[in-house]
Amino acid sequence: MTLTRTSSYKQRQKKDTYLMNPVKFTLWLFLVTVTMFFAAFTSAVVLRQGGGSWLYFKIPTTFTISTITIILSSITMQWAYYAAKKNEIAQNRIALWLTLALGTSFVVTQYLGFGALINENVFLAGKSANVAGSFFYVIVGLHALHVIGGVIFLIFTLAAAYQYKVHSKNMLRINLCTTYWHFIGGLWVYLFAFLSWIS
């Protein structure tokens, strides 16, 4: 009987060690898919650039501002995570509000950046469009959609924080939100560096 209980305990312990939370696993699977998607896109850009007739243009300063904004939002998001871990509820809420404000500002500056590109005669489509401009709009636009998804995630996390559902004993939501937010922030830094290089 003792041997059976010991064996059963060891099996459960091994299972707990290797199993990942299904929601967390789904998020990581999604992030891997997004990474592969943007990697394919950037590879296509490099190949197309080598084909000639590539329009070189200056990226508007607005996109630099948005880059700084999303880096700052990653810092405030990490602050929110640590505050939740320490059960500092008020600080967690403040940090989430700041992250939400910065995330929203990022989307707004991206939109303004598109306006600046149009003023420079860089278009998405039409007779005056160049494939370089089209790639730029598509890549930036798709990333912006992922940020909007992150903003919605933040709103739900913030709502949960006001319902006292974000604390040291309930870290899954803030953990997922932090992981996703850092990912889209890091992804943008990479994309911005890449787009600056090809432009």
Side-chain angles (χ1 to χ4, degrees):
M1 179 70 74
T2 307
L3 185 62
T4 305
R5 286 179 180 175
T6 304
S7 177
S8 178
Y9 173 75
K10 284 182 178 179
Q11 285 178 354
R12 285 201 306 272
Q13 197 175 38
K14 189 175 180 181
K15 188 177 180 182
D16 291 341
T17 303
Y18 290 102
L19 272 184
M20 181 186 283
N21 181 288
V23 180
K24 193 178 288 188
F25 176 77
T26 304
L27 175 64
W28 277 104
L29 192 62
F30 173 73
L31 297 185
V32 169
T33 305
V34 173
T35 301
M36 292 174 67
F37 176 77
F38 278 99
F41 242 116
T42 52
S43 297
V45 171
V46 172
L47 289 172
R48 182 59 187 83
Q49 186 185 28
S53 67
W54 188 264
L55 173 67
Y56 291 91
F57 57 90
K58 184 180 178 182
I59 296 178
T61 312
T62 318
F63 289 102
T64 303
I65 296 170
S66 67
T67 304
I68 296 168
T69 302
I70 206 161
I71 290 171
L72 290 174
S73 74
S74 226
I75 295 170
T76 56
M77 188 71 243
Q78 193 62 36
W79 174 25
Y81 176 82
Y82 284 137
K85 205 171 183 180
K86 295 177 182 178
N87 288 319
E88 295 173 346
I89 307 300
Q91 284 195 34
N92 173 255
R93 292 172 181 171
I94 292 169
L96 286 172
W97 273 114
L98 286 172
T99 308
L100 181 60
L102 289 165
T104 305
S105 299
F106 175 84
V107 176
V108 171
T109 51
Q110 295 277 287
Y111 176 78
L112 294 174
F114 285 153
L117 282 174
I118 292 170
N119 291 334
E120 291 181 15
N121 297 316
V122 180
F123 301 100
L124 171 63
K127 292 181 180 179
S128 302
N130 182 280
V131 67
S134 299
F135 267 121
F136 189 95
Y137 277 101
V138 171
I139 290 173
V140 174
L142 285 172
H143 178 268
L145 285 176
H146 286 84
V147 176
I148 291 169
V151 168
I152 294 169
F153 196 173
L154 271 170
I155 291 170
F156 281 105
T157 305
L158 188 57
Y162 276 92
Q163 295 169 5
Y164 298 95
K165 293 180 180 178
V166 179
H167 48 76
S168 62
K169 293 183 179 179
N170 192 4
M171 290 291 291
L172 180 61
R173 185 181 280 103
I174 190 76
N175 193 312
L176 295 173
C177 194
T178 304
T179 300
Y180 183 78
W181 198 259
H182 286 333
F183 172 79
I184 57 174
L187 178 60
W188 171 252
V189 171
Y190 160 71
L191 290 174
F192 181 69
F194 174 77
L195 293 169
S196 298
W197 174 63
I198 65 163
S199 298

